[in-house]
Amino acid sequence: MSQASASPLVAPRITARAFFVSERLNMSGLERGDVLATIPLAFRVNANGIAILFRYGVVVLIGLNALEEEEFLRGLEHRMTGKLARRDEEIAIIELAPEKEDQIPPGGPICLQSLSPDRLILIGEALAKSVVLARHEREVASVFDTTEPFARELARSGRMRGSRRSILQNIGNALLVRHRVSGPVEVGEKPDVLWDKPHLERLYARLEDEYELKERAESLNGKLAVIAESAQVLTDIIDTRRSLRLEVIIVLLILFEVLVTIYQLAMGRHS
């Protein structure tokens, strides 16, 4: 990882904002002379800003105003694969406090001893993971909302109403969300910058606690397991319905054959 030592940011209080813009960002050709880091790709923007880009579709912009942010994001649109119709955002206020340790007071800004690129990249990592988790949490919640009526009906009556098509749609929706959430974002993965700057591990641990990254990831994984089980249950119900139909058809065919045989025997006696 290549890294610059000096930060372009000079203001005592700045804003960092993470945007979840697409399923994938194409980073090829973005390497430049003012690069601050390569994994994730971070570089200077305008006079006092920093951009941090993640391949899984998140852009973190630090020290830019709203107009500059929108202009920068528009310039990336041709690099977005699977652009999201609804853009999720996560915001943090960063305050320069040279007399303090790196800390995050309750309800306050993120206080840093210096606005070094290493520290800002760690904040970008935390914001990027948090905004991805937020979107996935919402998607998983929507699956729970659609599967809950099926589960409630099954618990109440022991049967599940609904057509085969509606059940298959719920299975497909559950599997699609599970596939998206189990994507390229490893929340528990250690940021690359910490391998070179181990003294910043305490700051990142505080960021993890502030945004509850590990707890949210564990909760999400638990819900994904429930979604997988729900999809399996719905699949089993469809298979059971199909088996019952086949059994009914077989019984009716046997009954029909018996009736035909009885009729033929009766006609043979009369003749």
Side-chain angles (χ1 to χ4, degrees), residues 192-218:
D192 280 30
V193 66
L194 293 180
W195 295 105
D196 296 329
K197 309 288 183 178
H199 64 281
L200 294 178
E201 288 193 9
R202 182 177 295 180
L203 169 61
Y204 188 70
R206 288 171 175 167
L207 289 166
E208 280 187 317
D209 290 341
E210 174 68 17
Y211 293 101
E212 299 179 329
L213 297 182
K214 291 181 179 179
E215 294 83 353
R216 291 164 67 190
E218 289 174 2

Side-chain angles (χ1 to χ4, degrees), residues 7 9 11-20 48-54 58-66 68-69 73 88-96 104 108-112 115-131 203 207 210-211:
S7 171
L9 301 173
R13 179 175 280 223
I14 56 175
T15 299
R17 203 185 312 267
F19 302 90
F20 194 4
N48 296 313
I50 286 180
I52 308 170
L53 277 57
F54 298 84
V58 175
V59 179
V60 179
L61 299 175
I62 304 176
L64 300 182
N65 61 42
E68 291 171 330
E69 289 172 347
L73 293 175
D88 289 80
E89 299 180 13
E90 185 88 39
I91 188 172
I93 304 299
I94 304 170
E95 185 175 285
L96 177 61
I104 309 174
I110 301 171
C111 297
L112 300 180
L115 299 179
S116 66
D118 302 318
R119 288 175 167 83
L120 297 176
I121 288 169
L122 284 181
I123 292 173
E125 289 262 11
L127 288 176
K129 291 174 180 177
S130 182
V131 75
L203 169 61
L207 289 166
E210 174 68 17
Y211 293 101

